[in-house]
Amino acid sequence: ADAIIVNTCAIREHAEKRALSIIGRYKHNKARNPDTVIGVCGCMSAQEHRSEHLKRSYHYVDFAFGTGSLHRLPEFIYGALTKAKRSFVLDTERPQIAEGLPVVRECAHRAWVSIMYGCNNFCTYCIVPYVRGRERSRMPEDIIKEVRELVESGCKDITLLGQNVNSYGKELDGGYDIAYLLREISKIEGDFWIHLMTSHPKDASDALIEALSCKSVANHFHLPLQSGSSPILKRMNRHYDIDRYLEIIDKLKRQNPSITLTTDIIVGFPGESDEDFEKTLEVIRRVEYDSVYSFVFSPRKGTPAYSMEDQIPEEIKKERFERLTELQNEISRKKNEAMVGKTVRVLVDGKSKNNDKIYTSRTEGNKIVHFEADKDYTGQFINLKIIRTDTFALYGEI
């Protein structure tokens, strides 16, 4: 290759170490061909100490930049090709939003559209605000234009992305918010679903909950819990307590009793007692999520939680994680079994890797449904009758 660019993640330290290992392999490429251009981008290189480390210890790397400077990639490559100088750019100033960048989409019927970048929340376990900067929202007309073009091209499922989509528009002039955006997108003609990823409970307004009933918005809401204990939530700097969280859940269920609810939970955060963990299990039993994305707390250097006292031993974290998983699997299995005999609308993703007659699809609540067919329905909405289930998937027939 004439140019090698390594895109990096910084959410966990293990990811950074892997990236550095991969970058190290390309030293031999540069030795064989000194004209090879080597660059590093993404969240890892947005950190000052990592950028400096790349500059001093990886002399064969020509440039490094963070997520806020993606639009400058041609400039960095040109500088390396013309031997101007090495470039190591930190997004120290407020990164701008560059519209019109080319996008390569791997899937014709599902797409992901960023509506904002950065984060203002500074949860004590998270590195994101330090590497992605403060919240900045795209103008609604740019988002709506992109979504309209996707729908016109045949896309059926569009996920609006942001570290906290619920705070969309706060820094824009014009009084825009996520509820406004959902209402405007729902005016686009076509048959498609809109999903949100991810939401923060502190900004889950009544206006947003009401907007979830708009025509094109999927009957699914992902609302990260992280912990069922208010004291632990305070240590996490989450800006809500359990009463507030459950109030939002109750409003969602009142508006639409059939809504699919999913969440994120961190097990074993510093200071989490047995009582704190039991409160998390209580919330899971009360809400009955369709699925839970659970994580064992992993100390992340550069975050306040990294140096907190009362770190939980690994064996305790593992035991709690297994108990939580067992409880949620039981709930997921029960909720799936209740769907047997019902007809659901799904978007077909394609054939199984192991069987040409088995297809995989998803409901608007993101539940996986397998079915058998002699015709290829990939990228189409169809109706399936659920005939059996297991913990993680449904099985249907046309």
Side-chain angles (χ1 to χ4, degrees):
D2 297 314
I4 300 170
I5 301 174
V6 183
N7 188 20
T8 64
C9 175
I11 199 70
R12 298 190 181 206
E13 197 162 10
H14 177 68
E16 291 190 12
K17 290 178 179 177
R18 280 190 61 205
L20 292 171
S21 174
I22 290 168
I23 296 164
R25 298 175 199 166
Y26 298 132
K27 181 178 182 179
H28 303 293
N29 296 67
K30 195 80 161 184
R32 286 194 301 268
N33 180 11
D35 291 331
T36 302
V37 173
I38 298 178
V40 181
C41 62
C43 288
M44 185 189 81
S45 47
Q47 299 171 95
E48 187 172 1
H49 72 284
R50 287 300 189 195
S51 180
E52 192 64 24
H53 180 55
L54 288 169
K55 184 177 182 179
R56 294 184 181 279
S57 302
Y58 294 76
H59 298 289
Y60 49 92
V61 170
D62 295 293
F63 58 84
F65 62 94
T67 57
S69 299
L70 178 60
H71 58 287
R72 296 181 60 189
L73 176 59
E75 172 192 339
F76 300 138
I77 293 177
Y78 181 78
L81 289 173
T82 57
K83 308 297 181 186
K85 62 178 180 178
R86 300 168 76 210
S87 300
F88 292 81
V89 177
L90 292 171
D91 301 329
T92 49
E93 299 178 9
R94 185 177 181 84
Q96 66 185 92
I97 294 177
E99 296 291 349
L101 292 178
V103 176
V104 177
R105 299 193 186 274
E106 296 180 358
C107 179
H109 58 275
R110 293 190 191 274
W112 288 260
V113 174
S114 293
I115 65 170
M116 60 188 301
Y117 305 93
C119 185
N120 292 351
N121 291 310
F122 289 92
C123 300
T124 55
Y125 51 80
C126 186
I127 197 73
V128 168
Y130 304 98
V131 295
R132 294 238 165 176
R134 302 294 76 75
E135 290 176 355
R136 52 206 187 277
S137 303
R138 294 176 65 192
M139 292 301 295
E141 56 266 29
D142 294 320
I143 299 168
I144 294 165
K145 177 175 180 287
E146 184 174 354
V147 172
R148 180 179 289 109
E149 289 172 350
L150 283 167
V151 173
E152 290 174 350
S153 72
C155 190
K156 304 291 187 185
D157 188 348
I158 300 166
T159 301
L160 306 182
L161 293 175
Q163 295 301 139
N164 174 19
V165 293
N166 293 358
S167 62
Y168 169 80
K170 280 188 174 180
E171 83 290 3
L172 296 177
D173 293 330
Y176 305 118
D177 61 10
I178 186 63
Y180 168 85
L181 189 63
L182 291 176
R183 289 194 300 269
E184 291 301 303
I185 289 175
S186 287
K187 294 176 183 177
I188 297 172
E189 291 187 12
D191 189 7
F192 62 98
W193 288 334
I194 287 290
H195 285 91
L196 299 174
M197 188 62 66
T198 186
S199 293
H200 196 301
K202 78 177 181 66
D203 298 307
S205 65
D206 289 348
L208 167 60
I209 294 172
E210 185 178 337
L212 296 177
S213 296
C214 289
K215 172 179 69 74
S216 298
V217 180
N219 188 27
H220 168 230
F221 200 65
H222 183 79
L223 192 67
L225 169 67
Q226 305 304 7
S227 173
S229 165
S230 292
I232 294 298
L233 288 173
K234 189 172 183 179
R235 293 197 86 188
M236 290 178 169
N237 196 38
R238 292 288 289 173
H239 301 288
Y240 59 86
D241 60 17
I242 288 305
D243 289 340
R244 169 61 181 151
Y245 183 91
L246 293 175
E247 178 187 348
I248 298 167
I249 293 291
D250 290 342
K251 286 180 180 178
L252 288 165
K253 287 186 174 184
R254 278 198 302 271
Q255 176 168 287
N256 189 346
S258 66
I259 192 169
T260 298
L261 294 172
T262 56
T263 196
D264 298 333
I265 292 176
I266 295 173
V267 176
F269 188 81
E272 181 187 72
S273 65
D274 290 338
E275 182 183 0
D276 292 321
F277 178 67
E278 287 297 333
K279 288 179 179 177
T280 297
L281 298 184
E282 287 175 15
V283 174
I284 292 174
R285 293 187 189 99
R286 184 188 187 287
V287 176
E288 292 195 321
Y289 299 101
D290 289 83
S291 65
V292 169
Y293 301 90
S294 51
F295 310 87
V296 170
F297 171 73
S298 176
R300 182 65 181 88
K301 191 173 182 179
T303 65
Y306 181 80
S307 55
M308 281 184 178
E309 297 179 356
D310 304 322
Q311 298 285 333
I312 308 299
E314 289 300 319
E315 60 271 19
I316 294 179
K317 288 194 282 190
K318 181 181 177 182
E319 186 268 339
R320 289 176 182 172
F321 180 82
E322 289 173 351
R323 286 175 58 198
L324 186 150
T325 302
E326 183 179 355
L327 172 61
Q328 181 54 45
N329 285 350
E330 180 185 324
I331 293 170
S332 297
R333 190 181 304 113
K334 183 182 74 172
K335 291 183 79 76
N336 284 350
E337 287 172 352
M339 296 185 69
V340 173
K342 294 182 179 179
T343 298
V344 297
R345 192 175 193 231
V346 299
L347 178 58
V348 183
D349 281 322
K351 294 180 180 179
S352 163
K353 294 178 181 177
N354 304 318
N355 188 330
D356 279 349
K357 288 193 174 182
I358 300 297
Y359 286 78
T360 297
S361 64
R362 289 180 184 268
T363 67
E364 60 181 313
N366 216 30
K367 289 179 181 284
I368 297 172
V369 188
H370 302 295
F371 67 99
E372 190 171 336
D374 294 321
K375 177 182 173 182
D376 190 347
Y377 291 96
T378 300
Q380 298 180 43
F381 286 122
I382 64 170
N383 291 326
L384 296 175
K385 182 180 179 181
I386 304 303
I387 55 176
R388 65 184 179 90
T389 68
D390 61 27
T391 304
F392 304 108
L394 309 173
Y395 299 84
E397 60 184 13
I398 295 173

